[in-house]
Amino acid sequence: MNSNIQAAAEKLLLENYESYYRLAYSYVRNEADALDIVQESACRAITECGSVKNPEYLSTWLYRIVINTSLDFIRKYRREEATDSLPDPVWEDRYSDTDLISLVMALDEKSRTVLILRYFEDRKLEEIAQICGENLNTIKARLYRALKKLRLDLAG
């Protein structure tokens, strides 16, 4: 393993810890779970940083790890929740205020990731494309479709 890349990864993890935490929190909406996700992401990053061939992509690679770890957590939690819970009674009234966060969380994973990185983490579209491993035009189209959907949901 290249010790320079490992040192650079450790430095980025320390410098951007709050940003990684905010990103994880935007997915799971729970402090303790977000902290666990960042810790697990850091462990993954340190053990796997040798696979990074180009050090200039290390930052986007770390964001991708946090996103993937967050999504893994959500999938695992949903599976456990589905097997552990009974269905809610049908007669229960469900009224809730519509808020932006819940609408963002209702988007598909790819659209939600682009929105979170762009507006919550203030990342440039080019960097988001690198993080997601997608074409820049795909990211732009996904962002604009997601924004249009949010506008319609908020208006309706």
Side-chain angles (χ1 to χ4, degrees):
M1 180 186 313
N2 186 339
S3 61
N4 290 338
I5 289 181
Q6 184 174 0
E10 290 173 2
K11 182 179 179 199
L12 281 171
L13 286 166
L14 291 172
E15 288 174 353
N16 298 312
Y17 181 84
E18 290 85 15
S19 183
Y20 300 137
Y21 170 78
R22 284 192 314 271
L23 180 60
Y25 185 84
S26 70
Y27 278 92
V28 296
R29 311 299 297 164
N30 179 291
E31 282 184 43
D33 293 338
L35 290 169
D36 288 346
I37 288 168
V38 173
Q39 185 175 5
E40 184 177 337
S41 298
C43 290
R44 283 184 185 180
I46 296 301
T47 58
E48 298 173 13
C49 67
S51 67
V52 176
K53 292 177 179 43
N54 191 342
E56 73 183 51
Y57 295 121
L58 191 58
S59 176
T60 56
W61 180 77
L62 288 169
Y63 274 100
R64 188 75 226 157
I65 288 178
V66 174
I67 291 168
N68 288 338
T69 306
S70 298
L71 293 173
D72 290 346
F73 177 86
I74 290 169
R75 286 184 198 109
K76 179 183 173 193
Y77 178 73
R78 282 188 186 150
R79 255 195 320 272
E80 288 174 1
E81 188 178 74
T83 59
D84 291 345
S85 65
L86 296 172
D88 292 335
V90 177
W91 61 84
E92 181 178 322
D93 287 334
R94 292 183 185 197
Y95 298 105
S96 64
D97 294 329
T98 302
D99 68 332
L100 186 58
I101 297 297
S102 64
L103 291 175
V104 169
M105 296 309 288
L107 293 171
D108 64 278
E109 288 177 4
K110 290 181 178 183
S111 297
R112 181 177 43 211
T113 298
V114 171
L115 270 172
I116 289 170
L117 288 171
R118 179 67 189 108
Y119 294 108
F120 291 65
E121 293 302 317
D122 200 30
R123 297 287 160 197
K124 293 180 180 166
L125 292 175
E126 295 83 10
E127 189 176 5
I128 296 169
Q130 288 176 348
I131 290 169
C132 295
E134 301 266 358
N135 180 305
L136 177 61
N137 289 330
T138 303
I139 295 301
K140 287 178 182 178
R142 190 171 292 142
L143 176 64
Y144 297 122
R145 276 193 309 269
L147 289 172
K148 183 177 180 181
K149 181 172 179 7
L150 287 176
R151 270 189 228 106
L152 290 172
D153 289 346
L154 286 170

